[in-house]
Amino acid sequence: MFTPAYTEVMSDELPALPWDRPRGRTRPPRIPLTRDRIVEAAYVVLDREGYDRLSMRMVAAELGVAVSALYAHVSSKDELLELMYSRFFADMDLPDPDPERWREQLRDYARAALAKLRSHRDLARISMGSVPFKPEMLPHMDALLGVFRAAGLPDRVAGAAGDVLSTFVDGFALEEGMWQDRYRATDELTWQGMREALERYFAELPPERFPHLTALSRSMFGRSNDERFDLGVEIIIRGLASFAAEAAAAGETATGETGNDGTGSDEAGATERPAG
Amino acid sequence: MFTPAYTEVMSDELPALPWDRPRGRTRPPRIPLTRDRIVEAAYVVLDREGYDRLSMRMVAAELGVAVSALYAHVSSKDELLELMYSRFFADMDLPDPDPERWREQLRDYARAALAKLRSHRDLARISMGSVPFKPEMLPHMDALLGVFRAAGLPDRVAGAAGDVLSTFVDGFALEEGMWQDRYRATDELTWQGMREALERYFAELPPERFPHLTALSRSMFGRSNDERFDLGVEIIIRGLASFAAEAAAAGETATGETGNDGTGSDEAGATERPAG
DNA sequence: CAGCTACTCTGAACACTGTTCACCGATGAT
DNA sequence: ATCATCGGTGAACAGTGTTCAGAGTAGCTG
């Protein structure tokens, strides 16, 4: 290790030693560390190494900086993860409620959210692991509630609809990521090959013990993941449509608000078939 | 440290030294370590300390045993977590499909699963973090598929229905647990107090920016969690009912199977996901 | 009963992790 | 030119999952 005094005195007249760090103006002006740069580096590490190997030391190494330097800008790893998660909501555009197009809007929003979750490896795990509420998601919650109300959902149902939709999107992305981790670890199988292997596995189970699994193995794994996702979203949308139709009917017959809590413990008004 | 030879020779004639471990028959016969005992101890630690503090060393301490002893019965912490997760499916009873009662059966199953997830602290996190498929869940998947088919769902929809339902149940329990962790850490608030605080928080947001959130804060947090859960399940059930009714109608008019994939308006099947 | 093997369990170690803290060097201000 | 401030450093601490040579015990064999 050279002492600073030595390099300061000598390097004005002599060329810099090859193993010595460049100094003066030749050295890049040392970009200061910021939260943003840290978050960015964390995403690089996440994409390259995955969630399990994402550590403060790796982020610091990515920035060419000591670990402890991070703690001047970020109070803990948890906070860093939350900052990463907050970026999730940054550049997603929000629907503005249109009663005519609420189904399409929900479908589009769900697809956009899934695409965002897929855009970084293991991002779904960060999303699922974060505290269930961040101020950044307020505009999203509000916009979604707006769509639900535009669809004609009673308030109680609107309040619960967001849960169903968001847990499905998050859970779907999480499961998808786990399969990827899985086959990343075991073999160099492609995603398609994995699905085929699963289909074969289920098809070859003893049919007397698992009659439905064996019969449906093709239906479960034959189609693409996107189709499975769309189908799930469609199930939810139709469920919401049923409540909307019910509310509309009640609104026509009686002007006052009904006390129906929407859980429909009986199986009466069900099977409201949407036109979609 | 005394050498074993010393204690062996002397302790027959002399009383045992007070700091020496009792030997011979007075010592409890040393119950052998088994996978089951380890899993059981892990659950004790989980309930007392929570998922974040669940470590191999704590499990070992709970059993009064060295850490490395665990690795003779369990190959890794991941395997231990999977063993814990496997217990989840052990004593849940399965519905046997009844076309007349499929809604009730799904509702009961969802409630039972939620109750199971609630029965141990942070169990939902283990569930969500586990690999998406375990052989123990085969009977459950088959039984659920049976219910879906009994309901009259087309195969494609039945294959996706399980995803929607299970991600909702898991996600709901996970979120609930996170709120609990949250208020456990910050204050000695009760669960009810937490909900009230949240309701107030949303109600006091600027209404011009968040018109729907402020308007619906009561609807979202006023009711109990169980009601919110039931409502979510009901949304899914109605969505499935819609597909079932559609299939029934198609089956009456035309005998052949229709090619409808159930996703409704397409326009997006694209973005087949690459494996990476 | 003695001797042996087989097996469980121990204690120490390794390579990590998140986090803290006394210092050091370069910056901007007096 | 001196001082103070502050961002960044390196070492340390307590904790993690995991491995491994070796005790100690149990049960089987001669």
Side-chain angles (χ1 to χ4, degrees):
Chain A
M1 198 74 72
F2 296 91
T3 76
Y6 174 80
T7 57
E8 271 176 30
V9 170
M10 301 299 288
S11 55
D12 279 5
E13 297 120 43
L14 295 180
L17 293 170
W19 56 83
D20 201 9
R21 304 260 300 279
R23 63 160 229 116
R25 286 307 104 211
T26 68
R27 172 172 46 195
R30 181 145 117 165
I31 316 147
L33 222 47
T34 63
R35 282 162 93 97
D36 268 342
R37 288 217 316 135
I38 293 175
V39 172
E40 202 168 342
Y43 264 113
V44 172
V45 173
L46 181 70
D47 286 331
R48 177 167 18 93
E49 309 279 343
Y51 181 80
D52 289 324
R53 304 200 47 185
L54 171 63
S55 72
M56 298 300 274
R57 276 164 170 95
M58 286 208 129
V59 175
E62 184 67 31
L63 291 161
V65 129
V67 213
S68 43
L70 303 179
Y71 286 86
H73 303 87
V74 156
S75 72
S76 71
K77 185 186 182 181
D78 275 340
E79 195 190 55
L80 175 53
L81 291 175
E82 293 199 9
L83 287 174
M84 295 176 75
Y85 181 47
S86 294
R87 279 217 181 163
F88 181 87
F89 303 97
D91 58 342
M92 268 188 68
D93 39 32
L94 303 171
D96 72 329
D98 177 350
E100 304 299 321
R101 305 199 320 121
W102 67 271
R103 293 152 174 275
E104 198 180 331
Q105 288 182 318
L106 287 184
R107 213 159 18 225
D108 288 348
Y109 185 85
R111 282 180 185 151
L114 179 65
K116 202 98 185 35
L117 285 172
R118 281 169 169 174
S119 71
H120 290 289
R121 177 175 170 188
D122 288 344
L123 182 54
R125 281 170 76 178
I126 295 182
S127 162
M128 271 291 189
S130 295
V131 292
F133 169 70
K134 300 235 73 203
E136 284 85 357
M137 62 169 71
L138 282 176
H140 293 252
M141 295 174 68
D142 197 70
L144 233 42
L145 284 179
V147 176
F148 294 145
R149 295 178 97 184
L153 289 179
D155 289 353
R156 299 160 200 82
V157 183
D163 275 346
V164 181
L165 193 61
S166 70
T167 55
F168 175 67
V169 176
D170 268 345
F172 191 92
L174 187 72
E175 190 177 317
E176 216 177 47
M178 298 236 142
W179 282 120
Q180 272 170 270
D181 281 357
R182 187 94 194 183
Y183 79 71
R184 211 190 305 253
T186 54
D187 249 335
E188 294 309 313
L189 281 166
T190 93
W191 176 241
Q192 180 63 29
M194 189 73 172
R195 273 227 313 282
E196 284 165 12
L198 274 172
E199 182 183 336
R200 218 174 316 119
Y201 173 83
F202 281 107
E204 289 170 359
L205 290 171
E208 64 278 7
R209 290 187 55 195
F210 307 111
H212 307 296
L213 273 176
T214 49
L216 295 190
S217 70
R218 184 74 160 283
S219 304
M220 293 175 73
F221 298 101
R223 333 213 119 234
S224 82
N225 252 24
D226 287 324
E227 285 176 79
R228 251 180 67 235
F229 179 77
D230 283 347
L231 198 41
V233 173
E234 185 64 23
I235 290 171
I236 296 170
I237 288 178
R238 291 203 187 185
L240 296 178
S242 160
F243 277 101
E246 182 180 281
E252 278 175 14
T253 59
T255 51
E257 280 277 286
T258 83
N260 189 338
D261 68 345
T263 57
S265 62
D266 56 346
E267 51 213 279
T271 68
E272 193 57 47
R273 166 120 134 68
Chain B
M1 194 76 74
F2 296 89
T3 74
Y6 174 81
T7 56
E8 269 179 30
V9 170
M10 300 300 286
S11 56
D12 279 7
E13 296 121 43
L14 296 179
L17 293 170
W19 57 82
D20 201 11
R21 305 260 300 280
R23 67 164 224 113
R25 287 304 104 213
T26 68
R27 171 174 45 196
R30 179 147 116 169
I31 316 147
L33 222 46
T34 62
R35 281 163 95 95
D36 267 342
R37 286 217 318 136
I38 293 176
V39 171
E40 202 169 342
Y43 265 113
V44 173
V45 173
L46 182 71
D47 287 331
R48 177 168 16 94
E49 309 278 344
Y51 181 79
D52 289 324
R53 303 201 48 186
L54 171 62
S55 72
M56 298 299 274
R57 277 166 168 91
M58 286 207 124
V59 175
E62 184 67 31
L63 290 161
V65 129
V67 212
S68 43
L70 303 180
Y71 285 88
H73 304 87
V74 156
S75 72
S76 71
K77 186 185 181 182
D78 275 339
E79 195 189 56
L80 174 53
L81 291 176
E82 293 199 12
L83 287 173
M84 295 176 75
Y85 180 47
S86 294
R87 279 217 181 163
F88 181 86
F89 303 98
D91 59 342
M92 268 188 67
D93 39 32
L94 303 171
D96 72 329
D98 177 352
E100 303 300 320
R101 306 200 319 122
W102 68 270
R103 294 154 173 275
E104 197 180 332
Q105 288 182 318
L106 287 184
R107 215 162 12 229
D108 288 348
Y109 185 85
R111 283 186 183 142
L114 179 66
K116 203 98 186 33
L117 285 171
R118 281 171 168 171
S119 71
H120 290 290
R121 177 175 171 188
D122 288 344
L123 181 54
R125 282 170 75 180
I126 295 181
S127 162
M128 272 290 189
S130 295
V131 292
F133 169 71
K134 300 234 75 203
E136 283 85 358
M137 61 171 72
L138 283 176
H140 292 253
M141 295 174 68
D142 197 70
L144 233 42
L145 284 179
V147 176
F148 294 146
R149 296 177 97 183
L153 289 179
D155 288 353
R156 299 161 200 81
V157 183
D163 274 346
V164 181
L165 193 61
S166 70
T167 56
F168 174 66
V169 176
D170 267 345
F172 190 92
L174 187 72
E175 191 176 318
E176 215 177 48
M178 297 236 143
W179 282 120
Q180 271 168 273
D181 280 357
R182 188 95 194 180
Y183 79 72
R184 210 190 305 252
T186 54
D187 248 336
E188 294 310 313
L189 282 165
T190 94
W191 176 242
Q192 179 63 28
M194 189 73 172
R195 274 227 314 282
E196 283 165 13
L198 273 171
E199 181 183 338
R200 217 174 316 119
Y201 173 83
F202 282 106
E204 289 169 358
L205 289 171
E208 63 279 7
R209 291 186 56 194
F210 307 111
H212 307 296
L213 272 175
T214 48
L216 296 190
S217 70
R218 186 73 160 283
S219 304
M220 293 175 73
F221 299 100
R223 333 212 120 234
S224 83
N225 253 24
D226 288 326
E227 284 177 81
R228 252 180 67 235
F229 178 78
D230 283 347
L231 198 41
V233 173
E234 185 63 23
I235 290 172
I236 296 170
I237 288 178
R238 290 204 188 185
L240 296 178
S242 159
F243 277 102
E246 183 180 281
E252 278 176 13
T253 60
T255 50
E257 280 275 288
T258 81
N260 189 340
D261 69 346
T263 59
S265 86
D266 46 353
E267 112 198 46
T271 67
E272 173 62 40
R273 192 167 68 109

